[in-house]
Amino acid sequence: MNQALKKLFRKGTPDRAAVDAFIASTAFPLVDGSDVTFVYRGAADAVYLRCFIAGLDAAQPFQLLHESDLWATTIELPKGSRIEYKFEVVRNGHRELITDPLNGVLAEDPFGANSVCQGYGYERPSWTLEQEHVRRGSIEELTVRSKAFKKSRALPVYVPARFRSNRRYPLLIAHDGSDYLNYSSMQTVLDNLIQALEIPPMIVALTNSPDRLREYAGDDRHARFLAEELLPALADRYPLLDEPEARGLLGASFGGVASLHAAWRNPGLFGCLLLQSGSYAFSDIGRHQRGPVFDPVVRFMNEFREQPGRPSDRIYVSCGIYESLIYENRSLVPRLQAQGIDVRFEEARDAHNWENWRDRLRNGLSWLFPGPLWMVYD
């Protein structure tokens, strides 16, 4: 049992006032080095910890502490880890997934919110937080007529502060761009890194898909849309640098597949790729085990692994070690390096989520698009 809980129960089962005082004065979950103790208070038949990470049991049971209304469970979490979780509370045969009522730190995603456990040594990077002195860029909207998809596509575009029409800018195209804005603090990150001279002022097209599991899964229509429709539309609207090294693609999960596939289909067009937790499912023998939605991904990845070519010159790859996709991401790196591609690979003690991808943006962007600060110190 955690030392704080032991102290609370040192003289037997505490009364309600003692428990109230303990909860009011304590931050949850209880982090003691590599041991993390989660606490739930309330009447229940059973309570389980649901961590959204690969490698742990799907449901970690809580224990009722003596005759109190406190439940607790402890897991080992290595230093620097960050994980997301929920509690499963069982009452009268009814099961409910809830965020941790004692922990106000939440992470939102397109499906709702999860509680966040910040393990020993983890701190949210300061460059992901809004800062008063930083000049803010703006978000504009661009509509692109698409023959590839037989309809128009509207997308947000980040324009840096102090934009000037008489200078030229690097371009980054981000898949799931609105999710990067909403769940990965993308605009704040760009503003902060540009102000700190870690990346140059740049245009970022925040593209989205109404059918991402199809369009991002190695779909040739999507590759044509980026290369033949979106890129020319951006060049017509904004003064862009025309060198491949000043053009990049960004994507996470299926967006990572879409980025790699589009660059592979258009070699020499996109000089930089920022790939985060890509869903690079493949099969060396037999059938893959990830379900039918991954069938087109596997077809693409099997072909790519046989004939990788040179989709880009510089590629930054990141993945959480608590993800089921860590093996596929690790296996991609030597395939890329064998083609003479300059690759940087980063693993994080995190899982498949938007805040993991947020926390890797500084390293990826500043390496692919170094600003004046890094040019001085390089």
Side-chain angles (χ1 to χ4, degrees), residues 193-272:
L193 296 182
I194 290 171
Q195 176 91 2
L197 305 180
E198 295 199 35
I199 63 174
M202 61 196 310
I203 303 295
V204 181
L206 300 148
T207 185
N208 301 286
S209 169
D211 188 12
R212 65 186 299 279
L213 293 182
R214 181 182 178 191
E215 294 180 4
Y216 287 2
D219 189 326
D220 284 344
R221 295 175 306 162
H222 177 71
R224 291 199 305 274
F225 169 70
L226 293 186
E228 300 174 13
E229 297 172 343
L230 178 56
L231 192 56
L234 289 164
D236 284 344
R237 172 102 170 238
Y238 301 101
L240 302 176
L241 292 167
D242 197 32
E243 299 81 15
E245 60 267 25
R247 287 191 294 267
L249 298 175
L250 162 66
S253 193
F254 265 56
V257 176
S259 297
L260 180 63
H261 176 264
W264 183 65
R265 282 298 192 200
N266 299 279
L269 187 60
F270 300 102
C272 304

Side-chain angles (χ1 to χ4, degrees), residues 1 3 13 19 42 44 51 56 95 152 166 183 202 251-252 279 284 287 293 322 339-340 342 345 361:
M1 185 188 297
Q3 292 300 317
T13 302
V19 174
C51 290
L56 284 182
R95 296 174 178 268
S152 295
N166 60 354
Y183 309 119
M202 61 196 310
S279 303
D284 282 325
R287 289 191 54 80
V293 72
Y322 304 144
Q339 306 307 306
D342 193 3
F345 180 49
L361 285 173

Side-chain angles (χ1 to χ4, degrees), residues 298-368:
V298 171
R299 285 194 293 271
F300 158 56
M301 288 305 302
N302 286 351
E303 186 177 356
F304 175 81
R305 285 165 61 83
E306 287 294 323
Q307 296 180 318
R310 191 180 175 92
S312 191
D313 292 328
R314 287 164 63 84
I315 302 180
Y316 174 90
V317 181
S318 72
C319 192
I321 61 174
Y322 304 144
E323 300 188 49
S324 63
L325 292 164
I326 187 64
Y327 169 74
E328 287 87 347
N329 279 263
R330 285 171 175 166
S331 70
L332 176 67
V333 173
R335 298 268 176 170
L336 299 173
Q337 290 172 327
Q339 306 307 306
I341 298 170
D342 193 3
V343 181
R344 179 169 292 187
F345 180 49
E346 181 180 3
E347 296 183 359
R349 291 197 177 276
D350 209 324
H352 199 77
N353 60 71
W354 286 101
E355 293 195 0
N356 173 15
W357 303 328
R358 175 200 68 193
D359 289 359
R360 316 275 85 77
L361 285 173
R362 180 191 189 190
N363 287 350
L365 290 172
S366 64
W367 184 67
L368 294 172

